[in-house]
Structures are given as structure tokens and as C-alpha cells.
């Protein structure tokens, strides 16, 4: 397919080589400032931050005759295209992207939605050309998928950052945590996360929890988060019994 990309962020930077490897012709790559758009693209994929999406769609739609418009946002509805395009949809690869790392798109779950059956078939063909895992999902369900990803990825990574902060204050390298992080991630491939949970919070070992909370007395926000998470872990462990 002939594809125009709008956006030069982390996702677009990873998507571009994946499309090219699959044999698609990427006829242009524009930032959200939008240089001249080609008129021969079959699909225009818009990959910009959520707050800019509506504005970019309105600008792009009036500057190209591309028959199919897609966005890549996890939480934005498909209806943002209404009034701007006749055929449109969503192409949402659920993965964390960084410009410093290239990912293997073939294993990334990609969730699609479209304005009509013919467009859905086209989007499915496009997605299937770069990944083996393609799922049709409504806007409403995609909101909960994205929320779940925030917990599993963004919040978990923030916990890594807090761990690194504590270690650095005491002259310890973060890489001592990597075997623990890797094993925790591997466990949930075969265990439900509730069954994989370990640590003092599961049994609510108050002596350990109180002592560790006191170590965070100079950081009230982190101390509060530690106490709340410990209590929540214990409550979830009890309800799963």
C-alpha cells in the first residue's frame, strides 16, 4: 500500500521501518507542522499526541485526498474523524516505544476499528502485514485496554524509577534489580499476577511495612504511595483466597 505518515514521535519512528519491511511504500513522513502532503497515498496514518489529534486531523483531511485515515491513539475515539473523512479507523499497536530502541512489530498486539466493513478489511490487511496479532476492538473497550496498559507499563516503570532513586541515594547501581525485574516479568507468562505476588504486603507483615515506611519519612509522597500500595496488595491477596 502507499502510505503517508503524519507524526515523527516514538511510535511513528518504529512504525516506519516496519511498514517498509512489509513492502509498503511510505510516500511521505510529516511532522505535525505538515509540509506538502502527497495526493497518491491510499492510507494516511496520523500518529501525534492526543491533545493535538483533532487539530491535525482537520488540517490533514483538507490537504490530501487519501481515501482512508487512521489514528494510533489508545484512548481517542474513532469518531474524531467524523466531519473530516468518509473512511477512517484506528490502528493501535499496544507497546511502549522509544526512539533509542527498535521493536519487533511481528509480535505486537495491534487493535483495529473502522468506519465500515470495507475499511475494516483494508486496515486488517495492513495490520496483518506487519504483525501476527491483530484484534478488532471497539473504542469503548480500547479505553480500558489503554488504562490497563498504563498500570502494567507506565506505572510499573515509575516504580522502577523510584527504586533507582532510592538505590542511587545509597550508592547502589540500578542494575542489581534487573534479575528481579526479569524474573517477575517472566512469572506472569505462566502465573496470574495475583498468584505471582510476593513480599511483606501479601501477608501484611506490619513490622516490616512499618519499618520500610519509616525509611521514607523524608519523602512523604513516596511514603504515602508505599503504604497505600501495601494495603491494596494485601486486600487483593485476601479477596483472591
Amino acid at each position: 500500500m502507499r502510505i503517508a505518515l503524519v507524526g515523527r514521535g516514538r511510535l511513528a519512528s518504529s512504525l516506519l521501518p516496519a511498514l517498509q519491511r512489509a513492502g509498503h511504500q511510505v510516500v511521505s513522513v510529516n511532522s505535525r507542522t505538515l509540509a506538502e502532503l502527497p495526493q497518491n497515498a491510499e492510507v494516511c496514518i496520523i500518529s501525534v499526541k492526543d491533545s493535538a489529534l483533532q487539530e491535525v486531523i482537520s488540517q490533514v483531511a483538507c490537504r490530501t485526498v487519501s481515501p482512508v485515515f487512521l489514528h494510533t491513539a489508545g484512548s481517542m475515539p474513532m469518531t474524531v474523524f467524523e466531519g473530516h473523512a468518509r473512511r477512517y479507523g484506528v490502528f493501535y499497536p499496544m507497546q511502549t516505544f522509544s526512539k533509542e530502541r527498535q521493536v519487533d512489530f511481528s509480535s505486537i498486539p495491534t487493535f483495529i476499528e473502522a468506519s465500515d466493513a470495507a475499511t475494516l478489511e483494508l486496515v486488517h490487511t495492513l495490520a496483518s502485514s506487519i504483525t501476527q496479532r491483530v484484534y478488532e476492538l471497539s473504542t469503548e473497550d480500547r479505553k480500558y485496554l489503554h488504562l490497563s496498559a498504563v498500570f502494567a507499563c507506565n506505572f510499573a516503570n515509575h516504580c522502577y524509577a523510584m527504586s533507582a532513586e532510592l538505590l542511587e541515594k545509597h550508592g547502589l547501581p540500578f542494575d542489581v534489580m534487573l534479575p528481579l525485574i526479569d524474573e517477575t516479568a517472566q512469572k506472569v507468562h505462566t502465573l496470574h499476577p495475583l498468584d505471582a505476588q510476593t513480599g511483606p504486603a501479601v501477608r501484611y507483615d506490619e513490622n516490616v511495612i512499618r519499618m520500610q515506611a519509616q525509611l521514607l519519612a523524608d519523602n512523604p509522597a513516596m511514603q504515602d504511595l508505599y503504604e497505600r500500595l501495601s494495603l491494596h496488595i494485601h486486600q487483593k491477596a485476601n479477596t483472591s483466597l
Side-chain angles (χ1 to χ4, degrees), residues 60-195:
V60 170
C62 68
R63 297 177 65 178
T64 178
V65 294
S66 176
V68 175
F69 292 87
L70 306 174
H71 75 64
T72 62
S75 290
M76 295 297 287
M78 180 174 63
T79 54
V80 292
F81 288 106
E82 288 184 353
H84 301 288
R86 186 175 60 85
R87 297 178 64 192
Y88 50 84
V90 176
F91 179 94
Y92 172 53
M94 193 185 66
Q95 182 57 281
T96 176
F97 296 96
S98 299
K99 288 187 176 181
E100 299 80 8
R101 288 178 58 85
Q102 284 296 315
V103 297
D104 178 10
F105 248 93
S106 66
S107 62
I108 295 177
T110 299
F111 298 85
I112 63 172
E113 187 180 12
S115 55
D116 57 82
T119 303
L120 183 64
E121 183 177 356
L122 181 147
V123 179
H124 193 283
T125 299
L126 173 62
S128 297
S129 71
I130 63 173
T131 178
Q132 301 170 18
R133 306 181 65 183
V134 182
Y135 307 89
E136 183 182 350
L137 196 68
S138 69
T139 287
E140 194 60 29
D141 287 337
R142 184 165 29 86
K143 290 178 183 178
Y144 288 97
L145 176 75
H146 192 209
L147 173 60
S148 300
V150 167
F151 275 96
C153 175
N154 306 129
F155 287 175
N157 189 73
H158 185 65
C159 287
Y160 299 159
M162 289 189 291
S163 172
E165 180 182 337
L166 289 169
L167 290 166
E168 288 163 4
K169 283 183 178 179
H170 297 277
L172 295 167
F174 180 68
D175 64 12
V176 300
M177 289 293 160
L178 296 181
L180 178 64
I181 291 170
D182 291 343
E183 175 60 18
T184 303
Q186 283 300 313
K187 279 199 296 187
V188 296
H189 282 258
T190 56
L191 296 173
H192 189 282
L194 285 175
D195 297 327

